[in-house]
Amino acid sequence: PHLLASFNMIDVNAPLELMELGLDKPMATAAYRFGVDTFNKFLYVGGWANGINDRRAVDILIKAYTEEFSANEKTLLVLKINTAYSPVPVMQTISQLNLKPPSERGKMSLIEKPMSEQDLAGLYRVANTFVMPTKAEAFCLPVLESIWSTTNTLLASWASPM
């Protein structure tokens, strides 16, 4: 409200509208199903536009996860990737990471399709830990959505000004 009032005071000649956070309280109670309810689920939600050169460091997250967890551990890394800005297919980028074979590493699930707000909210709710490894973020809505959904949230110290 303060920022909107400030712009109005200096006669900004553009339509201004106050936008609430992208969080809808009723949506925070939805749940998504993976069929592996006993697994410890790590979740990343965001983009990955520039592959291994991307500031979001998803490649580092995947490498760390696959090095730490083996196939016989009850863990799942869920990557909800927004592909709108990805010039390279995500699976092609993952194949360049030189990971252990699937039979030796922790399980991963890749979601590239758009999701409804309700499904996305449910995805946060079913995760045990939300992970944001980004090297730089000005503002990180997925972190707020994760906290709002009462999901444990793990982020790099430079991830956003939270």
Side-chain angles (χ1 to χ4, degrees), residues 76-131:
L76 177 66
L77 174 61
V78 179
L79 303 167
K80 170 56 183 105
I81 306 289
N82 178 353
T83 58
Y85 307 106
S86 299
V88 178
V90 174
M91 285 305 296
Q92 181 179 334
T93 303
I94 291 174
S95 69
Q96 297 169 353
L97 297 179
N98 298 319
L99 303 174
K100 295 179 192 175
S103 61
E104 297 178 19
R105 66 177 189 233
K107 293 163 186 57
M108 295 191 305
S109 176
L110 175 63
I111 302 171
E112 295 180 89
K113 65 179 170 73
M115 297 178 91
S116 68
E117 286 183 11
Q118 186 170 1
D119 282 346
L120 185 58
L123 195 56
Y124 283 109
R125 296 288 296 176
V126 76
N128 301 95
T129 305
F130 175 79
V131 184

Side-chain angles (χ1 to χ4, degrees), residues 34 36 39-45 48 57-67 69 73-81 94 97 99 105-111 123 127-133:
F34 275 103
V36 288
F39 280 41
N40 187 14
K41 292 168 283 300
F42 297 94
L43 172 65
Y44 167 81
V45 174
W48 194 18
V58 180
D59 57 316
I60 295 171
L61 169 62
I62 293 170
K63 286 181 185 179
Y65 173 81
T66 58
E67 287 298 317
F69 296 104
E73 294 181 78
K74 290 188 172 188
T75 61
L76 177 66
L77 174 61
V78 179
L79 303 167
K80 170 56 183 105
I81 306 289
I94 291 174
L97 297 179
L99 303 174
R105 66 177 189 233
K107 293 163 186 57
M108 295 191 305
S109 176
L110 175 63
I111 302 171
L123 195 56
N128 301 95
T129 305
F130 175 79
V131 184
M132 179 54 70

Side-chain angles (χ1 to χ4, degrees), residues 43-57:
L43 172 65
Y44 167 81
V45 174
W48 194 18
N50 299 311
I52 60 172
N53 298 316
D54 196 84
R55 66 177 161 75
R56 291 175 192 88

